[in-house]
Amino acid sequence: SQKGLNIKKVTTADEMLSEVKKLLPVDLAVCAAAVADFRPAEKNKSKIKKNDKSLQSINFVKNNDILEYISKNNKYRPRLVAGFSAETENLTKNSIDKMKKKHCDLIFANDVSQKGIGFNSDYNKISLIDKKGNIKIIPKNKKSFIANKIAEILLDKLLIDDRNTN
């Protein structure tokens, strides 16, 4: 455990939601985990062999949406909720739709279809979209630089919101 960090290790989306609930309320929630939307309805205790004739299909159930839960939680909603959107097409439209559906304050959008940025790369390019529809591009740069930029933006937004409410 790093100094000042409280690390919780989880295996499932349900475990992650449970740990998140224990941490609320907070001032800022940054939801960057790529949690699967669905999980198999049933768990097998042992390996499913490829010649197992009983397995014709796998049924899936929807996982709870942690970002949406945090944003819509009236009792413990953070002052600022930021989400991430990994898209392969219609980056802006899909990210805006996600932000509205999940009721978050801003979303950091990644185009994961482009070579040289995003997955399997030290580089990324991010679009920051807020509730008013403002879009700010963080141009291609090292992920460490972009992470610092994101932290700066989030802290500035918290401080600006503080000044506007006091």
Side-chain angles (χ1 to χ4, degrees):
S1 164
Q2 300 264 337
K3 186 178 180 196
L5 291 180
N6 187 356
I7 298 169
K8 301 285 183 184
K9 296 192 181 207
V10 297
T11 306
T12 68
D14 284 342
E15 287 175 20
M16 183 180 275
L17 179 58
S18 175
E19 288 300 327
V20 165
K21 285 178 176 179
K22 292 176 195 171
L23 295 170
L24 295 174
V26 295
D27 291 326
L28 168 65
V30 182
C31 298
V35 178
D37 293 330
F38 298 94
R39 69 179 184 274
E42 295 174 23
K43 273 187 181 178
N44 265 39
K45 297 274 188 245
S46 56
K47 178 182 174 185
I48 301 170
K49 303 300 262 177
K50 63 180 148 195
N51 60 358
D52 186 344
K53 300 286 185 246
S54 68
L55 182 73
Q56 296 298 314
S57 63
I58 298 173
N59 293 319
F60 289 94
V61 293
K62 204 167 184 325
N63 274 325
N64 286 311
D65 190 303
I66 298 169
L67 173 60
E68 194 170 350
Y69 172 84
I70 291 169
S71 292
K72 289 182 175 179
N73 189 320
N74 293 329
K75 187 175 180 188
Y76 294 121
R77 191 191 194 280
R79 289 183 10 233
L80 183 62
V81 179
F84 281 74
S85 174
E87 301 293 341
T88 55
E89 55 192 15
N90 302 323
L91 178 72
T92 303
K93 182 195 180 307
N94 288 343
S95 298
I96 289 171
D97 289 350
K98 179 177 182 175
M99 179 176 55
K100 287 179 179 172
K101 179 184 178 292
K102 296 177 190 262
H103 295 264
C104 51
D105 301 305
L106 33 107
I107 200 150
F108 294 96
N110 296 270
D111 183 341
V112 295
S113 69
Q114 290 187 37
K115 295 270 182 258
I117 62 169
F119 298 133
N120 301 317
S121 172
D122 291 334
Y123 293 86
N124 208 350
K125 174 186 170 188
I126 300 276
S127 298
L128 163 61
I129 307 168
D130 70 17
K131 280 195 295 196
K132 294 176 187 154
N134 299 315
I135 301 171
K136 177 182 174 157
I137 306 287
I138 303 174
K140 181 179 177 181
N141 210 315
K142 282 194 170 270
K143 286 181 177 175
S144 55
F145 174 86
I146 289 179
N148 282 319
K149 267 291 194 225
I150 289 171
E152 228 173 77
I153 289 164
L154 292 170
L155 289 174
D156 281 352
K157 187 121 180 73
L158 268 181
L159 292 172
I160 289 166
D161 287 354
D162 261 1
R163 283 196 292 269
N164 289 344
T165 54
N166 291 335

